[in-house]
Amino acid sequence: MTHCSVLAFLLSCLFSHSLCAQNESVFAEKMRLPQQATKAETALSIARSFLEKPYVSHTLEQTPEALVCNLQTFDCYTFVESVLALTLTRETSGTYKEYQDFLQKLRYRNGKINGYGSRLHYFLEWKQQAIAQGWLTDVSASLGGIKIQPSIQFMTSHRTLYPALHDENAVSEIQQAEKQLSETPWYYIPKNKVAAIEPKLQNGDIIGITSGIAGLDFNHEGFVVRTGARAYLLHASSDLKKVTLSAEPLAEYLARVKKHSGIVVLRMKE
């Protein structure tokens, strides 16, 4: 190894150690937040504490695949996932190791890290696994949702968008996941029906925003914040580049974004 390579390696190790220390400090801060009456209220308290944190995409991409714990920056997916993992940890032992365990069980198929293909890239599969673990329940059908069974194949149909899909093993694993998802019906609430059901949404509900893009399941995720009879979205916004609360109610937000087709509503189990 050259002198430059050794220096680069040492700097990388120092940066990694520094990031880990920062994450553990943020984690400890979140564990000190007052526990609320329900898990959903606790989740919302934790989510609100991240307001104004920066939006950064692709923070999970690294080789080889490994668990990334990042409480400094978020995309919409990692924001929801991190808050849920923190909430589950807050309700149990409150240790950083347990937070990492919850994060891995949420992010990877059967909680096992085995390369890029083992990560749950589709929110549809993510929600299925979280429901199977007993952490969430899907209330979309009870809110008047419509049963659908779309073909899911966006990732393998757009391989150039995903550098890791040069690996045929990863492609094969994701194709298998897409096949399973395409064979499973599920419920969603069309966006023109959302205003009518907003009064039934609860603080801390997880909203998955379904996609009108062929082959894709969801575009975006966030948490419900109620103000009067209206529901707003607390989310990591790619437009505003930060964690924020939507300026307009959920129904109006959905109507404004053409690629959004509707929502799925996930509720935390007590």
Side-chain angles (χ1 to χ4, degrees), residues 146-176:
I146 297 171
K147 183 185 285 189
I148 56 172
Q149 191 175 331
S151 173
I152 307 297
Q153 33 66 21
F154 186 86
M155 288 185 70
T156 55
S157 296
H158 299 79
R159 289 174 59 171
T160 57
L161 299 177
Y162 304 91
L165 290 187
H166 69 275
D167 179 353
E168 291 302 324
N169 288 330
V171 173
S172 177
E173 194 163 1
I174 290 172
Q175 281 177 329
Q176 182 59 35

PDB file of all heavy atoms in Angstrom, residues 146-176:
ATOM      1  N   ILE A 146     -58.824   0.897  -2.373  1.00  0.00           N
ATOM      2  CA  ILE A 146     -59.150   0.073  -3.537  1.00  0.00           C
ATOM      3  C   ILE A 146     -58.073  -0.990  -3.718  1.00  0.00           C
ATOM      4  O   ILE A 146     -56.876  -0.702  -3.607  1.00  0.00           O
ATOM      5  CB  ILE A 146     -59.233   0.945  -4.800  1.00  0.00           C
ATOM      6  CG1 ILE A 146     -60.386   1.965  -4.659  1.00  0.00           C
ATOM      7  CG2 ILE A 146     -59.423   0.105  -6.055  1.00  0.00           C
ATOM      8  CD1 ILE A 146     -60.395   3.001  -5.766  1.00  0.00           C
ATOM      9  N   LYS A 147     -58.499  -2.227  -3.992  1.00  0.00           N
ATOM     10  CA  LYS A 147     -57.534  -3.308  -4.191  1.00  0.00           C
ATOM     11  C   LYS A 147     -56.869  -3.173  -5.574  1.00  0.00           C
ATOM     12  O   LYS A 147     -57.557  -2.966  -6.576  1.00  0.00           O
ATOM     13  CB  LYS A 147     -58.204  -4.674  -4.089  1.00  0.00           C
ATOM     14  CG  LYS A 147     -57.222  -5.852  -4.210  1.00  0.00           C
ATOM     15  CD  LYS A 147     -57.924  -7.192  -4.239  1.00  0.00           C
ATOM     16  CE  LYS A 147     -58.430  -7.584  -2.877  1.00  0.00           C
ATOM     17  NZ  LYS A 147     -58.932  -8.991  -2.864  1.00  0.00           N
ATOM     18  N   ILE A 148     -55.547  -3.303  -5.605  1.00  0.00           N
ATOM     19  CA  ILE A 148     -54.793  -3.248  -6.858  1.00  0.00           C
ATOM     20  C   ILE A 148     -53.720  -4.331  -6.847  1.00  0.00           C
ATOM     21  O   ILE A 148     -53.379  -4.873  -5.799  1.00  0.00           O
ATOM     22  CB  ILE A 148     -54.129  -1.860  -7.086  1.00  0.00           C
ATOM     23  CG1 ILE A 148     -53.228  -1.489  -5.894  1.00  0.00           C
ATOM     24  CG2 ILE A 148     -55.173  -0.789  -7.344  1.00  0.00           C
ATOM     25  CD1 ILE A 148     -52.401  -0.244  -6.117  1.00  0.00           C
ATOM     26  N   GLN A 149     -53.195  -4.631  -8.008  1.00  0.00           N
ATOM     27  CA  GLN A 149     -52.107  -5.600  -8.122  1.00  0.00           C
ATOM     28  C   GLN A 149     -51.241  -5.211  -9.321  1.00  0.00           C
ATOM     29  O   GLN A 149     -51.202  -5.900 -10.326  1.00  0.00           O
ATOM     30  CB  GLN A 149     -52.658  -7.022  -8.296  1.00  0.00           C
ATOM     31  CG  GLN A 149     -51.595  -8.106  -8.155  1.00  0.00           C
ATOM     32  CD  GLN A 149     -52.181  -9.502  -8.213  1.00  0.00           C
ATOM     33  OE1 GLN A 149     -53.327  -9.729  -7.833  1.00  0.00           O
ATOM     34  NE2 GLN A 149     -51.398 -10.463  -8.709  1.00  0.00           N
ATOM     35  N   PRO A 150     -50.517  -4.096  -9.205  1.00  0.00           N
ATOM     36  CA  PRO A 150     -49.706  -3.621 -10.332  1.00  0.00           C
ATOM     37  C   PRO A 150     -48.451  -4.461 -10.548  1.00  0.00           C
ATOM     38  O   PRO A 150     -47.970  -5.134  -9.632  1.00  0.00           O
ATOM     39  CB  PRO A 150     -49.337  -2.196  -9.913  1.00  0.00           C
ATOM     40  CG  PRO A 150     -49.327  -2.252  -8.417  1.00  0.00           C
ATOM     41  CD  PRO A 150     -50.412  -3.219  -8.033  1.00  0.00           C
ATOM     42  N   SER A 151     -47.929  -4.399 -11.738  1.00  0.00           N
ATOM     43  CA  SER A 151     -46.651  -5.047 -12.048  1.00  0.00           C
ATOM     44  C   SER A 151     -45.522  -4.179 -11.511  1.00  0.00           C
ATOM     45  O   SER A 151     -45.446  -2.982 -11.816  1.00  0.00           O
ATOM     46  CB  SER A 151     -46.503  -5.219 -13.563  1.00  0.00           C
ATOM     47  OG  SER A 151     -45.212  -5.694 -13.884  1.00  0.00           O
ATOM     48  N   ILE A 152     -44.657  -4.769 -10.691  1.00  0.00           N
ATOM     49  CA  ILE A 152     -43.523  -4.050 -10.099  1.00  0.00           C
ATOM     50  C   ILE A 152     -42.245  -4.521 -10.772  1.00  0.00           C
ATOM     51  O   ILE A 152     -41.866  -5.688 -10.654  1.00  0.00           O
ATOM     52  CB  ILE A 152     -43.437  -4.306  -8.579  1.00  0.00           C
ATOM     53  CG1 ILE A 152     -44.771  -3.996  -7.887  1.00  0.00           C
ATOM     54  CG2 ILE A 152     -42.293  -3.508  -7.964  1.00  0.00           C
ATOM     55  CD1 ILE A 152     -45.219  -2.574  -7.967  1.00  0.00           C
ATOM     56  N   GLN A 153     -41.589  -3.629 -11.500  1.00  0.00           N
ATOM     57  CA  GLN A 153     -40.359  -4.022 -12.196  1.00  0.00           C
ATOM     58  C   GLN A 153     -39.477  -2.820 -12.547  1.00  0.00           C
ATOM     59  O   GLN A 153     -38.633  -2.896 -13.427  1.00  0.00           O
ATOM     60  CB  GLN A 153     -40.686  -4.823 -13.481  1.00  0.00           C
ATOM     61  CG  GLN A 153     -41.950  -4.455 -14.221  1.00  0.00           C
ATOM     62  CD  GLN A 153     -41.979  -3.080 -14.841  1.00  0.00           C
ATOM     63  OE1 GLN A 153     -40.966  -2.463 -15.089  1.00  0.00           O
ATOM     64  NE2 GLN A 153     -43.164  -2.566 -15.126  1.00  0.00           N
ATOM     65  N   PHE A 154     -39.662  -1.700 -11.829  1.00  0.00           N
ATOM     66  CA  PHE A 154     -38.958  -0.472 -12.198  1.00  0.00           C
ATOM     67  C   PHE A 154     -37.441  -0.628 -12.123  1.00  0.00           C
ATOM     68  O   PHE A 154     -36.720  -0.205 -13.027  1.00  0.00           O
ATOM     69  CB  PHE A 154     -39.390   0.690 -11.300  1.00  0.00           C
ATOM     70  CG  PHE A 154     -38.814   2.013 -11.722  1.00  0.00           C
ATOM     71  CD1 PHE A 154     -39.453   2.777 -12.677  1.00  0.00           C
ATOM     72  CD2 PHE A 154     -37.629   2.480 -11.176  1.00  0.00           C
ATOM     73  CE1 PHE A 154     -38.928   3.994 -13.086  1.00  0.00           C
ATOM     74  CE2 PHE A 154     -37.082   3.689 -11.578  1.00  0.00           C
ATOM     75  CZ  PHE A 154     -37.739   4.459 -12.539  1.00  0.00           C
ATOM     76  N   MET A 155     -36.944  -1.239 -11.055  1.00  0.00           N
ATOM     77  CA  MET A 155     -35.493  -1.315 -10.877  1.00  0.00           C
ATOM     78  C   MET A 155     -34.827  -2.133 -11.973  1.00  0.00           C
ATOM     79  O   MET A 155     -33.838  -1.689 -12.574  1.00  0.00           O
ATOM     80  CB  MET A 155     -35.154  -1.892  -9.498  1.00  0.00           C
ATOM     81  CG  MET A 155     -35.439  -0.948  -8.354  1.00  0.00           C
ATOM     82  SD  MET A 155     -34.898  -1.610  -6.750  1.00  0.00           S
ATOM     83  CE  MET A 155     -33.107  -1.546  -6.925  1.00  0.00           C
ATOM     84  N   THR A 156     -35.351  -3.317 -12.248  1.00  0.00           N
ATOM     85  CA  THR A 156     -34.701  -4.167 -13.254  1.00  0.00           C
ATOM     86  C   THR A 156     -34.994  -3.684 -14.670  1.00  0.00           C
ATOM     87  O   THR A 156     -34.279  -4.053 -15.597  1.00  0.00           O
ATOM     88  CB  THR A 156     -35.133  -5.632 -13.101  1.00  0.00           C
ATOM     89  OG1 THR A 156     -36.558  -5.730 -13.148  1.00  0.00           O
ATOM     90  CG2 THR A 156     -34.625  -6.202 -11.785  1.00  0.00           C
ATOM     91  N   SER A 157     -36.009  -2.834 -14.832  1.00  0.00           N
ATOM     92  CA  SER A 157     -36.287  -2.245 -16.150  1.00  0.00           C
ATOM     93  C   SER A 157     -35.466  -0.985 -16.385  1.00  0.00           C
ATOM     94  O   SER A 157     -35.423  -0.483 -17.513  1.00  0.00           O
ATOM     95  CB  SER A 157     -37.774  -1.900 -16.275  1.00  0.00           C
ATOM     96  OG  SER A 157     -38.572  -3.060 -16.231  1.00  0.00           O
ATOM     97  N   HIS A 158     -34.834  -0.475 -15.327  1.00  0.00           N
ATOM     98  CA  HIS A 158     -34.031   0.757 -15.425  1.00  0.00           C
ATOM     99  C   HIS A 158     -32.692   0.533 -14.716  1.00  0.00           C
ATOM    100  O   HIS A 158     -32.294   1.288 -13.834  1.00  0.00           O
ATOM    101  CB  HIS A 158     -34.777   1.939 -14.806  1.00  0.00           C
ATOM    102  CG  HIS A 158     -36.082   2.252 -15.458  1.00  0.00           C
ATOM    103  ND1 HIS A 158     -37.231   1.539 -15.201  1.00  0.00           N
ATOM    104  CD2 HIS A 158     -36.415   3.197 -16.379  1.00  0.00           C
ATOM    105  CE1 HIS A 158     -38.226   2.047 -15.919  1.00  0.00           C
ATOM    106  NE2 HIS A 158     -37.762   3.039 -16.644  1.00  0.00           N
ATOM    107  N   ARG A 159     -32.012  -0.511 -15.107  1.00  0.00           N
ATOM    108  CA  ARG A 159     -30.785  -0.918 -14.416  1.00  0.00           C
ATOM    109  C   ARG A 159     -29.708   0.154 -14.434  1.00  0.00           C
ATOM    110  O   ARG A 159     -28.905   0.245 -13.500  1.00  0.00           O
ATOM    111  CB  ARG A 159     -30.244  -2.215 -15.022  1.00  0.00           C
ATOM    112  CG  ARG A 159     -31.101  -3.418 -14.693  1.00  0.00           C
ATOM    113  CD  ARG A 159     -30.657  -4.678 -15.414  1.00  0.00           C
ATOM    114  NE  ARG A 159     -29.286  -5.067 -15.114  1.00  0.00           N
ATOM    115  CZ  ARG A 159     -28.732  -6.215 -15.495  1.00  0.00           C
ATOM    116  NH1 ARG A 159     -29.466  -7.089 -16.200  1.00  0.00           N
ATOM    117  NH2 ARG A 159     -27.488  -6.501 -15.182  1.00  0.00           N
ATOM    118  N   THR A 160     -29.676   1.001 -15.474  1.00  0.00           N
ATOM    119  CA  THR A 160     -28.637   2.032 -15.557  1.00  0.00           C
ATOM    120  C   THR A 160     -28.768   3.078 -14.449  1.00  0.00           C
ATOM    121  O   THR A 160     -27.809   3.798 -14.159  1.00  0.00           O
ATOM    122  CB  THR A 160     -28.677   2.731 -16.920  1.00  0.00           C
ATOM    123  OG1 THR A 160     -29.987   3.278 -17.132  1.00  0.00           O
ATOM    124  CG2 THR A 160     -28.348   1.750 -18.045  1.00  0.00           C
ATOM    125  N   LEU A 161     -29.940   3.160 -13.816  1.00  0.00           N
ATOM    126  CA  LEU A 161     -30.125   4.107 -12.715  1.00  0.00           C
ATOM    127  C   LEU A 161     -29.541   3.598 -11.405  1.00  0.00           C
ATOM    128  O   LEU A 161     -29.432   4.351 -10.438  1.00  0.00           O
ATOM    129  CB  LEU A 161     -31.624   4.395 -12.512  1.00  0.00           C
ATOM    130  CG  LEU A 161     -32.378   5.021 -13.679  1.00  0.00           C
ATOM    131  CD1 LEU A 161     -33.861   5.173 -13.321  1.00  0.00           C
ATOM    132  CD2 LEU A 161     -31.777   6.366 -14.050  1.00  0.00           C
ATOM    133  N   TYR A 162     -29.181   2.315 -11.387  1.00  0.00           N
ATOM    134  CA  TYR A 162     -28.704   1.673 -10.155  1.00  0.00           C
ATOM    135  C   TYR A 162     -27.336   1.034 -10.425  1.00  0.00           C
ATOM    136  O   TYR A 162     -27.264  -0.104 -10.907  1.00  0.00           O
ATOM    137  CB  TYR A 162     -29.704   0.611  -9.688  1.00  0.00           C
ATOM    138  CG  TYR A 162     -31.105   1.163  -9.489  1.00  0.00           C
ATOM    139  CD1 TYR A 162     -32.034   1.139 -10.532  1.00  0.00           C
ATOM    140  CD2 TYR A 162     -31.484   1.726  -8.266  1.00  0.00           C
ATOM    141  CE1 TYR A 162     -33.317   1.654 -10.354  1.00  0.00           C
ATOM    142  CE2 TYR A 162     -32.763   2.239  -8.092  1.00  0.00           C
ATOM    143  CZ  TYR A 162     -33.667   2.197  -9.133  1.00  0.00           C
ATOM    144  OH  TYR A 162     -34.937   2.715  -8.960  1.00  0.00           O
ATOM    145  N   PRO A 163     -26.243   1.745 -10.129  1.00  0.00           N
ATOM    146  CA  PRO A 163     -24.901   1.226 -10.428  1.00  0.00           C
ATOM    147  C   PRO A 163     -24.646  -0.171  -9.874  1.00  0.00           C
ATOM    148  O   PRO A 163     -23.916  -0.959 -10.490  1.00  0.00           O
ATOM    149  CB  PRO A 163     -23.978   2.268  -9.771  1.00  0.00           C
ATOM    150  CG  PRO A 163     -24.776   3.527  -9.773  1.00  0.00           C
ATOM    151  CD  PRO A 163     -26.202   3.102  -9.553  1.00  0.00           C
ATOM    152  N   ALA A 164     -25.228  -0.506  -8.731  1.00  0.00           N
ATOM    153  CA  ALA A 164     -24.987  -1.820  -8.118  1.00  0.00           C
ATOM    154  C   ALA A 164     -25.586  -2.953  -8.935  1.00  0.00           C
ATOM    155  O   ALA A 164     -25.236  -4.124  -8.724  1.00  0.00           O
ATOM    156  CB  ALA A 164     -25.541  -1.852  -6.698  1.00  0.00           C
ATOM    157  N   LEU A 165     -26.466  -2.636  -9.895  1.00  0.00           N
ATOM    158  CA  LEU A 165     -27.105  -3.693 -10.669  1.00  0.00           C
ATOM    159  C   LEU A 165     -26.259  -4.164 -11.858  1.00  0.00           C
ATOM    160  O   LEU A 165     -26.773  -4.774 -12.793  1.00  0.00           O
ATOM    161  CB  LEU A 165     -28.492  -3.230 -11.145  1.00  0.00           C
ATOM    162  CG  LEU A 165     -29.545  -3.095 -10.041  1.00  0.00           C
ATOM    163  CD1 LEU A 165     -30.915  -2.800 -10.629  1.00  0.00           C
ATOM    164  CD2 LEU A 165     -29.610  -4.346  -9.173  1.00  0.00           C
ATOM    165  N   HIS A 166     -24.964  -3.922 -11.781  1.00  0.00           N
ATOM    166  CA  HIS A 166     -24.039  -4.598 -12.718  1.00  0.00           C
ATOM    167  C   HIS A 166     -23.784  -6.027 -12.236  1.00  0.00           C
ATOM    168  O   HIS A 166     -23.280  -6.868 -12.973  1.00  0.00           O
ATOM    169  CB  HIS A 166     -22.710  -3.834 -12.813  1.00  0.00           C
ATOM    170  CG  HIS A 166     -21.901  -3.900 -11.546  1.00  0.00           C
ATOM    171  ND1 HIS A 166     -22.096  -3.034 -10.494  1.00  0.00           N
ATOM    172  CD2 HIS A 166     -20.927  -4.757 -11.134  1.00  0.00           C
ATOM    173  CE1 HIS A 166     -21.269  -3.341  -9.504  1.00  0.00           C
ATOM    174  NE2 HIS A 166     -20.543  -4.384  -9.864  1.00  0.00           N
ATOM    175  N   ASP A 167     -24.148  -6.289 -10.985  1.00  0.00           N
ATOM    176  CA  ASP A 167     -23.979  -7.606 -10.364  1.00  0.00           C
ATOM    177  C   ASP A 167     -25.211  -8.445 -10.675  1.00  0.00           C
ATOM    178  O   ASP A 167     -26.319  -8.143 -10.220  1.00  0.00           O
ATOM    179  CB  ASP A 167     -23.807  -7.432  -8.851  1.00  0.00           C
ATOM    180  CG  ASP A 167     -23.658  -8.751  -8.103  1.00  0.00           C
ATOM    181  OD1 ASP A 167     -23.811  -9.820  -8.737  1.00  0.00           O
ATOM    182  OD2 ASP A 167     -23.407  -8.714  -6.892  1.00  0.00           O
ATOM    183  N   GLU A 168     -25.036  -9.522 -11.442  1.00  0.00           N
ATOM    184  CA  GLU A 168     -26.171 -10.349 -11.857  1.00  0.00           C
ATOM    185  C   GLU A 168     -26.839 -11.054 -10.679  1.00  0.00           C
ATOM    186  O   GLU A 168     -28.038 -11.336 -10.720  1.00  0.00           O
ATOM    187  CB  GLU A 168     -25.725 -11.372 -12.913  1.00  0.00           C
ATOM    188  CG  GLU A 168     -25.353 -10.746 -14.245  1.00  0.00           C
ATOM    189  CD  GLU A 168     -26.495  -9.943 -14.868  1.00  0.00           C
ATOM    190  OE1 GLU A 168     -27.662 -10.359 -14.724  1.00  0.00           O
ATOM    191  OE2 GLU A 168     -26.224  -8.896 -15.489  1.00  0.00           O
ATOM    192  N   ASN A 169     -26.087 -11.334  -9.620  1.00  0.00           N
ATOM    193  CA  ASN A 169     -26.701 -11.940  -8.434  1.00  0.00           C
ATOM    194  C   ASN A 169     -27.708 -10.982  -7.798  1.00  0.00           C
ATOM    195  O   ASN A 169     -28.796 -11.395  -7.388  1.00  0.00           O
ATOM    196  CB  ASN A 169     -25.634 -12.328  -7.416  1.00  0.00           C
ATOM    197  CG  ASN A 169     -24.816 -13.527  -7.855  1.00  0.00           C
ATOM    198  OD1 ASN A 169     -25.306 -14.390  -8.575  1.00  0.00           O
ATOM    199  ND2 ASN A 169     -23.564 -13.580  -7.425  1.00  0.00           N
ATOM    200  N   ALA A 170     -27.329  -9.695  -7.729  1.00  0.00           N
ATOM    201  CA  ALA A 170     -28.238  -8.689  -7.178  1.00  0.00           C
ATOM    202  C   ALA A 170     -29.463  -8.534  -8.070  1.00  0.00           C
ATOM    203  O   ALA A 170     -30.590  -8.424  -7.586  1.00  0.00           O
ATOM    204  CB  ALA A 170     -27.519  -7.353  -7.022  1.00  0.00           C
ATOM    205  N   VAL A 171     -29.244  -8.535  -9.379  1.00  0.00           N
ATOM    206  CA  VAL A 171     -30.358  -8.428 -10.331  1.00  0.00           C
ATOM    207  C   VAL A 171     -31.325  -9.579 -10.136  1.00  0.00           C
ATOM    208  O   VAL A 171     -32.555  -9.384 -10.072  1.00  0.00           O
ATOM    209  CB  VAL A 171     -29.849  -8.401 -11.787  1.00  0.00           C
ATOM    210  CG1 VAL A 171     -31.019  -8.471 -12.771  1.00  0.00           C
ATOM    211  CG2 VAL A 171     -29.026  -7.146 -12.041  1.00  0.00           C
ATOM    212  N   SER A 172     -30.797 -10.785 -10.024  1.00  0.00           N
ATOM    213  CA  SER A 172     -31.632 -11.971  -9.851  1.00  0.00           C
ATOM    214  C   SER A 172     -32.459 -11.889  -8.573  1.00  0.00           C
ATOM    215  O   SER A 172     -33.665 -12.215  -8.565  1.00  0.00           O
ATOM    216  CB  SER A 172     -30.759 -13.230  -9.831  1.00  0.00           C
ATOM    217  OG  SER A 172     -31.543 -14.381  -9.603  1.00  0.00           O
ATOM    218  N   GLU A 173     -31.836 -11.423  -7.485  1.00  0.00           N
ATOM    219  CA  GLU A 173     -32.548 -11.337  -6.209  1.00  0.00           C
ATOM    220  C   GLU A 173     -33.653 -10.289  -6.272  1.00  0.00           C
ATOM    221  O   GLU A 173     -34.765 -10.506  -5.759  1.00  0.00           O
ATOM    222  CB  GLU A 173     -31.558 -11.013  -5.089  1.00  0.00           C
ATOM    223  CG  GLU A 173     -32.133 -11.231  -3.707  1.00  0.00           C
ATOM    224  CD  GLU A 173     -31.076 -11.301  -2.622  1.00  0.00           C
ATOM    225  OE1 GLU A 173     -29.879 -11.170  -2.938  1.00  0.00           O
ATOM    226  OE2 GLU A 173     -31.456 -11.503  -1.449  1.00  0.00           O
ATOM    227  N   ILE A 174     -33.376  -9.162  -6.916  1.00  0.00           N
ATOM    228  CA  ILE A 174     -34.384  -8.110  -7.018  1.00  0.00           C
ATOM    229  C   ILE A 174     -35.499  -8.524  -7.971  1.00  0.00           C
ATOM    230  O   ILE A 174     -36.679  -8.231  -7.724  1.00  0.00           O
ATOM    231  CB  ILE A 174     -33.729  -6.778  -7.433  1.00  0.00           C
ATOM    232  CG1 ILE A 174     -32.871  -6.268  -6.262  1.00  0.00           C
ATOM    233  CG2 ILE A 174     -34.779  -5.740  -7.815  1.00  0.00           C
ATOM    234  CD1 ILE A 174     -32.019  -5.085  -6.571  1.00  0.00           C
ATOM    235  N   GLN A 175     -35.164  -9.241  -9.034  1.00  0.00           N
ATOM    236  CA  GLN A 175     -36.203  -9.766  -9.926  1.00  0.00           C
ATOM    237  C   GLN A 175     -37.149 -10.693  -9.181  1.00  0.00           C
ATOM    238  O   GLN A 175     -38.373 -10.665  -9.395  1.00  0.00           O
ATOM    239  CB  GLN A 175     -35.569 -10.508 -11.105  1.00  0.00           C
ATOM    240  CG  GLN A 175     -35.052  -9.604 -12.197  1.00  0.00           C
ATOM    241  CD  GLN A 175     -34.373 -10.372 -13.316  1.00  0.00           C
ATOM    242  OE1 GLN A 175     -33.787 -11.435 -13.088  1.00  0.00           O
ATOM    243  NE2 GLN A 175     -34.438  -9.826 -14.533  1.00  0.00           N
ATOM    244  N   GLN A 176     -36.602 -11.505  -8.298  1.00  0.00           N
ATOM    245  CA  GLN A 176     -37.431 -12.417  -7.509  1.00  0.00           C
ATOM    246  C   GLN A 176     -38.361 -11.640  -6.582  1.00  0.00           C
ATOM    247  O   GLN A 176     -39.540 -11.984  -6.432  1.00  0.00           O
ATOM    248  CB  GLN A 176     -36.543 -13.364  -6.693  1.00  0.00           C
ATOM    249  CG  GLN A 176     -37.307 -14.397  -5.876  1.00  0.00           C
ATOM    250  CD  GLN A 176     -38.187 -15.311  -6.715  1.00  0.00           C
ATOM    251  OE1 GLN A 176     -37.833 -15.661  -7.840  1.00  0.00           O
ATOM    252  NE2 GLN A 176     -39.341 -15.684  -6.181  1.00  0.00           N
TER     253      GLN A 176
END
